[in-house]
């Protein structure tokens, strides 16, 4: 993420490295009063340690995390990060609570991702949802992933309209399973 601004607090004082919260405006985007301070995502050592723990648990099939693998849009290398899905009535959505981080850009470029949890591995095509469809998913997401709440202006009790208003900052992808037959056809078509 790009830096939010200068390294001072506007009053002559120096910003502390852990002071990453910023106010995204005086009025909430949906017009419902004052804006909540929204933290800007910057990966810290703590985040790396947390990701390592979630990755180990996801590999073992323990807890809510899945391992998301994308192909680097510039390098072509596989990149893996732990994520938490929103699941409802057999439908799955992938939420980017921290905005357009590298995995989001890679997923958009490839149009496909792989999810792993324990021994289960599945490939999915991704389709980014428009704001009106993303809002209800974001509302569900912050209830199941409370650690991400500081990155949203809307609170867990906010109406869905507040989530729709900030959906452009938190991409939501609908996941559609890649069928085994079409995956096999693609592999055969690419062989000489």
């Amino acid at each position: 993420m790009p830096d939010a601004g200068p390294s001072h607090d506007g009053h002559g004082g120096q910003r502390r490295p852990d002071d990453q919260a910023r106010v995204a405006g005086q009025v909430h985007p949906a017009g419902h009063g004052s804006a909540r301070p929204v933290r800007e995502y910057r990966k810290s050592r703590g985040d790396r340690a947390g990701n390592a723990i979630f990755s180990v648990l996801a590999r073992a099939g323990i807890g809510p995390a899945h391992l998301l693998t994308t192909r680097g849009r510039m390098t072509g290398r596989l990149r893996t990060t732990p994520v938490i899905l929103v699941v409802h009535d057999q439908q799955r959505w992938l939420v980017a609570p921290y905005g357009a981080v590298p995995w989001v850009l890679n997923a958009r470029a490839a149009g496909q991702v792989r999810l792993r949890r324990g021994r289960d591995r599945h490939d999915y095509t991704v389709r980014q949802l428009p704001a009106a469809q993303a809002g209800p998913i974001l509302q569900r997401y912050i209830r199941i992933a409370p650690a991400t709440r500081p990155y949203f202006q809307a609170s867990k009790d906010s109406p869905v309209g507040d989530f729709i208003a900030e959906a452009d900052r938190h991409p939501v992808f609908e996941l559609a399973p890649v069928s085994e037959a079409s995956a096999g056809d693609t592999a055969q078509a690419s062989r000489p």
Side-chain angles (χ1 to χ4, degrees):
M1 286 259 167
D3 189 10
S7 62
H8 63 280
D9 64 7
H11 302 292
Q14 198 69 17
R15 263 202 247 163
R16 295 172 295 161
D18 60 337
D19 185 18
Q20 297 172 7
R22 64 179 173 84
V23 175
Q26 297 294 17
V27 178
H28 192 277
H32 300 296
S34 297
R36 271 174 27 134
V38 176
R39 186 174 297 161
E40 185 176 321
Y41 181 72
R42 294 190 184 150
K43 200 171 203 175
S44 68
R45 287 183 195 157
D47 293 328
R48 286 183 189 90
N51 282 352
I53 292 167
F54 270 109
S55 294
V56 168
L57 293 174
R59 280 187 187 93
I62 300 170
H66 289 71
L67 290 176
L68 170 74
T69 301
T70 58
R71 185 165 300 280
R73 66 198 177 285
M74 301 193 142
T75 65
R77 293 182 185 153
L78 296 179
R79 305 288 184 189
T80 303
T81 189
V83 296
I84 295 179
L85 302 179
V86 176
V87 179
H88 181 71
D89 291 338
Q90 301 299 317
Q91 181 58 52
R92 294 170 178 242
W93 295 275
L94 185 57
V95 174
Y98 310 120
V101 293
W103 74 256
V104 172
L105 302 175
N106 293 340
R108 283 178 181 157
Q112 189 170 331
V113 298
R114 172 169 284 170
L115 288 171
R116 175 183 172 197
R117 186 166 182 274
R119 293 183 180 190
D120 294 332
R121 291 181 185 156
H122 300 284
D123 291 328
Y124 296 90
T125 59
V126 294
R127 179 182 71 90
Q128 188 169 340
L129 297 179
Q133 292 176 359
I137 307 305
L138 291 171
Q139 187 179 42
R140 281 189 179 135
Y141 182 80
I142 69 164
R143 290 182 179 147
I144 62 172
T148 64
R149 290 179 187 161
Y151 301 95
F152 288 82
Q153 280 188 311
S155 71
K156 67 181 176 95
D157 299 320
S158 295
V160 74
D162 291 357
F163 290 95
I164 291 170
E166 65 177 300
D168 62 321
R169 293 188 304 111
H170 308 286
V172 176
F173 297 93
E174 180 179 44
L175 299 172
V178 173
S179 69
E180 297 300 318
S182 67
D185 293 344
T186 303
Q188 287 179 357
S190 65
R191 290 186 193 145

